[in-house]
Amino acid sequence: MASAPPAPQAQATDEPQPGRLSRTAAFWTLAATLLAFMCAAAAPSPLYSVYQAEWHSSAITLTVVFAVYAIALLAALVTVGALSDHIGRRPALLAALATQAVAMLAFITADSSGWLLSARILQGLATGLATGATSAGLVDLRPKLAPLINTATPGIGLGAGAIGSGLLVEYAPAPTMLVYVLLLAACAVAAVGIALMPETSPRRPGAPASLRPTIGVPAGARGRFLTVVPILITTWSMTGFCMSLGPSLAIELLGITNHLVGGFVVAG
């Protein structure tokens, strides 16, 4: 007796599910969300000199404000970076956007360095969660195009965020508020898009276990890793230095008071 032919496997199509975005629209929604997070990460940098003048903060304080963001980002990447594999891309991204919105509200109401520290910590946690979820979601939707978007978007976003923030600080009213109001609005728009995208990673058990930090390097790659580490440390140290103190140094050493120039210093 002949066996029945195997049932054809369902293939992903670009036809949207009822009430959901198409896969193409969802892909670019994720890319735009990642871009928004990267823009927000660099947005405070041109404002540090403004905060320093208003609150008489020291250069060390500005460096700490930047450092806590980097620490919070790293902590999020090694703990909740893979959480979206278990709870789904949409819930993880909506949680990241909600945390980012709270960070933007903290920036808007900030009147001391303590508020900045709190806002940057929240922003680092939100960005770490969002980076893992968006990167994985992009691969789910367009495996061939995702590596290009994941590689190019952070640099483009950081540069655009710094320049855009410098432009607003120099030529728009309410320099310590407007950029964050616009980023808060971007969070709201992104949240609507994320809520409408199809879920690409169904829930599966293991969410609590995924929060346990796991750091390691495959044995075959350790030699190359140790060779590259000093370069990475130097590169990111210079990036942190420019993003935290670049605009302030441009004002102090070169006498440049145009905040847009400070944005270009960070973007460069």
Side-chain angles (χ1 to χ4, degrees):
M1 181 177 179
S3 59
Q9 295 183 348
Q11 295 183 351
T13 67
D14 199 46
E15 290 297 324
Q17 302 170 12
R20 299 291 180 192
L21 300 175
S22 68
R23 293 176 68 87
T24 298
F27 179 87
W28 293 112
T29 297
L30 283 177
T33 300
L34 178 59
L35 182 68
F37 271 97
M38 295 300 104
C39 286
S45 294
L47 279 160
Y48 286 153
S49 59
V50 177
Y51 296 134
Q52 187 175 30
E54 289 186 358
W55 302 336
H56 307 289
S57 303
S58 66
I60 293 177
T61 301
L62 296 182
T63 304
V64 171
V65 169
F66 177 82
V68 295
Y69 167 82
I71 294 170
L73 173 63
L74 179 60
L77 287 173
V78 299
T79 53
V80 297
L83 187 60
S84 70
D85 292 338
H86 301 274
I87 68 172
R89 311 294 184 218
R90 285 206 316 265
L93 283 168
L94 290 174
L97 286 166
T99 306
Q100 179 85 323
V102 174
M104 295 302 106
L105 289 172
F107 278 122
I108 291 170
T109 57
D111 57 6
S112 67
S113 298
W115 276 99
L116 284 185
L117 287 168
S118 300
R120 286 298 268 175
I121 290 171
L122 287 171
Q123 192 180 27
L125 294 174
T127 304
L129 176 57
T131 300
T134 53
S135 298
L138 289 168
V139 173
D140 293 339
L141 293 165
R142 289 288 184 274
K144 293 183 179 179
L145 184 57
L148 174 62
I149 300 300
N150 282 328
T151 301
T153 301
I156 294 172
L158 291 172
I163 294 171
S165 178
L167 185 66
L168 291 173
V169 172
E170 185 64 28
Y171 299 110
T176 59
M177 294 180 61
L178 181 58
V179 61
Y180 302 122
V181 170
L182 294 176
L183 288 169
L184 182 60
C187 286
V189 173
V192 173
I194 296 300
L196 293 175
M197 65 174 278
E199 181 56 71
T200 61
S201 180
R203 289 176 179 268
R204 60 187 177 92
S210 74
L211 301 179
R212 188 184 305 115
T214 302
I215 302 174
V217 180
R222 288 172 186 169
R224 293 189 295 272
F225 177 78
L226 292 175
T227 301
V228 172
V229 163
I231 300 173
L232 293 176
I233 293 175
T234 302
T235 301
W236 283 104
S237 296
M238 287 301 300
T239 300
F241 176 80
C242 290
M243 292 186 71
S244 60
L245 297 178
S248 298
L249 288 176
I251 291 174
E252 183 175 345
L253 299 180
L254 303 177
I256 298 172
T257 58
N258 190 303
H259 294 92
L260 178 57
V261 176
F264 277 106
V265 170
V266 174

